[in-house]
Amino acid sequence: MSSTDGRVVVVTGGTRGIGLGLAREFLARDARVVICGRSTEAVDKALAELGSDRASGLATDVTDRAAVQALWDHAVATFGRVDVWVNNAGLSAPRGPLHTVPVDDVHSVVEVNVIGALNGSAVASHGMAAQAGGGWIWNMEGFGSRGEHQPGMAVYGASKRAVQYLTEALVKQTKDTDVRVGFLSPGIVATDLLVGDYTDDPDGFEKVKKVFNILGDRVETVTPWLAEQVLGAHKHGTRVAWLTKGKAMRRFMTAGFNKRDIFASEDA
């Protein structure tokens, strides 16, 4: 476990799932952490779970640039600076043909996943450029980021493809500065976001569950490695990916020998 010298890390969407897992792992590596969520109640609950005086949080609507700026200001007022900013906040839409996805869901996904990442990147890049030593911005990849296609994933996939372009643009924009940018890819993780995609399609979930159990992992398996890689990164434009093509291939080859259920209750 590496020391971070008390680096300050902001994790948007840090009240549950991968975001909360990352916050926990950053704290375990001596970082000071600021999380945000959509409500004060969610933030307070997450902070209680983290149970650290090196953690703080603020209810933040990431689709509102002023609110994201307030999150940056809160982090600086609390811990003095921001060294790492992780744009993790994200939503998914119900799976299905595009015309069947409710318009409100389309707007929510695009606003949180794309506008949220744009706001976080803009605020963080501006703030880091003005502070000594700069800092790191990490944008969270997801299905569609690298051109993957699957029926029923038009809205979410398009949003993540947009985030990929944004991150590539940021890498070029911040070249030869103290602001560094990276791609963060957690792979398939058993979270409410993943399971929620199939709320109205339990039969569909049963069909893909076998593949998820081969390729997927739990939050507590993935986030320690991701946090370690983020804090140890040096190369501008680096991509931290948990599920590589090689790892996926090995898992398929050994699937008959390794029975896994990433969705099973930990108490089972």
Side-chain angles (χ1 to χ4, degrees), residues 166-210:
L166 162 65
T167 312
E168 292 169 352
L170 276 175
V171 169
K172 295 180 182 299
Q173 174 186 305
T174 58
K175 183 181 179 181
D176 299 325
T177 75
D178 287 334
V179 179
R180 293 166 293 281
V181 179
F183 304 78
L184 194 57
S185 180
I188 299 171
V189 185
T191 63
D192 293 343
L193 188 69
L194 178 64
V195 177
D197 287 349
Y198 295 91
T199 300
D200 299 321
D201 186 16
D203 291 338
F205 181 68
E206 287 304 316
K207 291 178 181 178
V208 298
K209 189 175 179 181
K210 181 177 180 180

Side-chain angles (χ1 to χ4, degrees), residues 93-171:
R95 289 176 182 247
L98 180 58
H99 69 277
T100 69
V101 181
V103 172
D104 287 348
D105 288 333
V106 174
H107 280 258
S108 294
V109 169
V110 172
E111 287 167 3
V112 172
N113 295 7
V114 182
I115 303 301
L118 282 162
N119 285 339
S121 297
V123 168
S125 61
H126 179 72
M128 289 174 179
Q131 69 182 11
W136 272 92
I137 299 169
W138 294 88
N139 284 337
M140 191 69 73
E141 293 186 332
F143 185 87
S145 289
R146 297 168 67 78
E148 306 92 339
H149 287 275
Q150 192 177 96
M153 293 288 287
V155 178
Y156 181 80
S159 74
K160 284 301 181 178
R161 190 66 164 161
V163 172
Q164 185 81 357
Y165 183 94
L166 162 65
T167 312
E168 292 169 352
L170 276 175
V171 169

Side-chain angles (χ1 to χ4, degrees), residues 230-241:
V230 165
L231 295 174
H234 296 288
K235 185 179 178 182
H236 178 56
T238 194
R239 180 170 181 263
V240 169

